[in-house]
Structure formats: structure tokens, C-alpha cells
């Protein structure tokens, strides 16, 4: 009986040693960079609503017709002296007819045939869900506050456009240089 227990223990130790003998070591290098702070987003620019006002459905006689553009801005404060620019990206659910337009939310009594277009300060369309490399760099004077100006407007994506409420949401992301 003693010999049997010794044999089992010897086999168990042999198996463990063979597993340990197959172990390997690998090194992982972790690098990074600590930068100065970038800019703060002003309190009124963190979460806000852009009111596209009331527009008549008669404005939209053909696909591509727009409502008047309504301005909105994102204010950056306390920018460090190391910040020279920012890229602003907008993400959200796009309209099936045009991936540059925000799809309207499905809400009770909602308008149909419309989507929302976001424009930059020069009134050029801002591509939604774009990668960082596709976004324009907006220059910032180091150490100074910056107001980023944009516009929103309704765009007809199918006819007829029916009157109703509109609602959509987007998230903006800032990438500082």
C-alpha cells in the first residue's frame, strides 16, 4: 500500500514538472506619452440642444432641399500652450439614403422624408462617423480659448416630406494636436 501511494505521487510530480518544462517567457513593452492638458470644454458646450426652429414642409419640394442653417458652437477654454489644433468628429445614426446625414429618431408624430445635416464654419458638410484622418484640422492659437462654429439644417431625403416633430442626436469627439 505504501508503494502504490509513492507511485501515484511520483507520477503526479512528473506530470507537473513536464508542464512547467513547457512554459515560455515573453516580454511586453508598454510605452506612452504624458502631455500637458489640452483644452476644457465650456459648461454650455458639453450637452446642448440645437433648435432647428419651425420650418414649413413646403420648403422641401425635391430631394436635397434644405431648411435655413442654424448655428451652434462648441467653446474651448483654458487651452494649454502645447495645443495647436483640434479635429472635431460627429457620430450618430445615419440616414439610409445618405450616410452624411443624421437619421431622425422614431418618435410619436415625427416628420418623415427628412434628415439632419451638420455643416462646418464654412458651411461644408461634415462627414458623420468619419475616421480621425478624414477630419479637418482646426487651428488653435496656443494658450488661447477657441470657439468652434457649426451649423445644422434639415435636408429632404425622400418625398413627400410630411410635417411633424424632429429629433436626432449626435456625439462629438475632440482630438487635440
Amino acid at each position: 500500500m505504501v508503494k502504490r501511494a509513492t507511485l501515484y505521487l511520483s507520477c503526479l510530480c512528473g506530470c507537473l514538472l513536464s508542464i512547467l518544462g513547457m512554459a515560455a517567457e515573453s516580454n511586453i513593452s508598454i510605452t506612452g506619452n504624458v502631455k500637458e492638458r489640452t483644452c476644457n470644454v465650456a459648461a454650455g458646450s458639453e450637452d446642448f440642444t440645437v433648435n432647428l426652429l419651425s420650418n414649413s414642409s413646403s420648403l422641401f419640394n425635391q430631394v436635397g432641399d434644405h431648411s435655413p442653417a442654424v448655428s451652434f458652437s462648441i467653446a474651448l477654454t483654458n487651452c494649454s500652450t502645447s495645443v495647436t489644433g483640434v479635429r472635431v468628429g460627429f457620430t450618430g445614426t445615419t440616414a439610409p439614403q445618405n450616410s452624411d446625414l443624421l437619421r431622425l429618431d422614431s418618435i410619436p408624430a415625427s416628420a418623415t422624408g427628412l434628415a439632419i445635416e451638420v455643416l462646418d464654419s464654412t458651411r461644408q458638410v461634415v462627414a458623420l462617423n468619419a475616421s480621425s484622418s478624414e477630419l479637418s484640422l482646426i487651428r488653435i492659437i496656443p494658450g488661447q480659448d477657441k470657439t468652434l462654429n457649426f451649423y445644422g439644417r434639415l435636408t429632404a431625403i425622400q418625398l413627400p416630406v410630411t410635417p411633424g416633430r424632429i429629433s436626432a442626436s449626435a456625439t462629438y469627439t475632440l482630438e487635440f494636436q
Side-chain angles (χ1 to χ4, degrees):
M1 179 115 165
V2 172
K3 288 184 180 182
R4 204 177 285 165
T6 304
L7 181 61
Y8 291 137
L9 185 56
S10 295
C11 287
L12 181 60
C13 287
C15 288
L16 287 176
L17 288 175
S18 67
I19 291 172
L20 292 175
M22 292 189 293
E25 285 188 25
S26 295
N27 291 320
I28 299 173
S29 295
I30 300 173
T31 62
N33 191 10
V34 176
K35 291 183 157 186
E36 276 189 67
R37 65 174 169 76
T38 53
C39 298
N40 295 330
V41 177
S45 295
E46 289 176 345
D47 295 307
F48 59 94
T49 299
V50 177
N51 183 351
L52 294 183
L53 309 173
S54 293
N55 295 280
S56 172
S57 61
S58 66
L59 285 175
F60 308 102
N61 296 311
Q62 52 189 317
V63 171
D65 284 351
H66 306 287
S67 68
V70 173
S71 66
F72 66 95
S73 61
I74 300 169
L76 304 177
T77 61
N78 300 315
C79 294
S80 80
T81 56
S82 66
V83 175
T84 59
V86 64
R87 295 181 197 280
V88 183
F90 290 88
T91 57
T93 304
T94 59
Q97 297 87 340
N98 185 332
S99 63
D100 285 337
L101 303 176
L102 279 171
R103 181 183 194 153
L104 295 183
D105 295 334
S106 295
I107 58 173
S110 65
T112 62
L114 296 169
I116 297 173
E117 188 171 50
V118 178
L119 308 171
D120 66 15
S121 62
T122 63
R123 297 185 186 230
Q124 298 300 306
V125 175
V126 175
L128 296 175
N129 304 319
S131 68
S132 175
S133 63
E134 297 174 279
L135 301 173
S136 299
L137 182 65
I138 301 168
R139 296 285 174 206
I140 294 178
I141 298 172
Q144 294 193 12
D145 295 350
K146 179 73 173 179
T147 299
L148 308 171
N149 296 306
F150 296 94
Y151 297 88
R153 66 183 178 186
L154 293 169
T155 301
I157 55 173
Q158 70 183 39
L159 298 177
V161 169
T162 60
R165 297 175 37 206
I166 60 161
S167 175
S169 59
T171 300
Y172 71 83
T173 303
L174 305 172
E175 180 186 302
F176 294 95
Q177 303 291 312

